[in-house]
Amino acid sequence: IMSLDDLRERIGCDQYPRFSNFNQRVLTPTLDEINEYTDIDVEYKLVKVNNSRKYNQIQFYISNKLERKYTEYLFEKIKREQ
C-alpha cells in the first residue's frame, strides 16, 4: 500500500493532480501493457484512510500468470477425478 501522492512522485508524474486524469492517462494504460506483454498480472484497489471522502492510497495485487494457470489446471483435474 502506498499513498497516491507517493506513487505520482516515484514515477515522476505530477502533471495529473486529479486521480481520474492520472488513472485514465497513466495508470490504466501502463497496467494494461504490463498485463498484456509480461508474465505477471497487476491489479489495484483504491483505499480511503481515516474516513476520508476521497481515495488517498492504492494497493497493488501482483500475480504470476503461469502459477495461476497451473493452479486452475490442478483444480480442473481434481474436479474431473471426482
Side-chain angles (χ1 to χ4, degrees):
I1 294 180
M2 69 173 33
S3 74
L4 291 172
D5 291 336
D6 189 34
L7 175 63
R8 284 187 186 99
E9 183 180 312
R10 285 184 184 209
I11 63 174
C13 189
D14 294 332
Q15 64 198 32
Y16 301 110
R18 296 186 66 195
F19 179 76
S20 59
N21 291 338
F22 176 74
N23 187 39
Q24 179 183 9
R25 297 170 192 229
V26 179
L27 192 57
T28 298
T30 301
L31 295 182
D32 287 346
E33 284 189 28
I34 290 170
N35 291 336
E36 183 175 348
Y37 297 114
T38 68
D39 63 344
I40 61 173
D41 276 327
V42 180
E43 297 175 351
Y44 68 92
K45 180 176 95 174
L46 297 173
V47 179
K48 294 179 184 179
V49 177
N50 299 330
N51 296 325
S52 176
R53 291 183 354 159
K54 25 184 244 186
Y55 294 104
N56 43 25
Q57 291 189 341
I58 188 167
Q59 181 171 7
F60 289 99
Y61 299 93
I62 302 169
S63 62
N64 185 307
K65 289 178 187 176
L66 297 176
E67 286 178 11
R68 191 180 75 236
K69 285 182 181 180
Y70 183 68
T71 302
E72 289 171 359
Y73 165 77
L74 289 177
F75 281 128
E76 287 297 317
K77 184 176 179 181
I78 291 169
K79 225 186 227 184
R80 285 188 301 240
E81 291 177 357
Q82 291 179 354

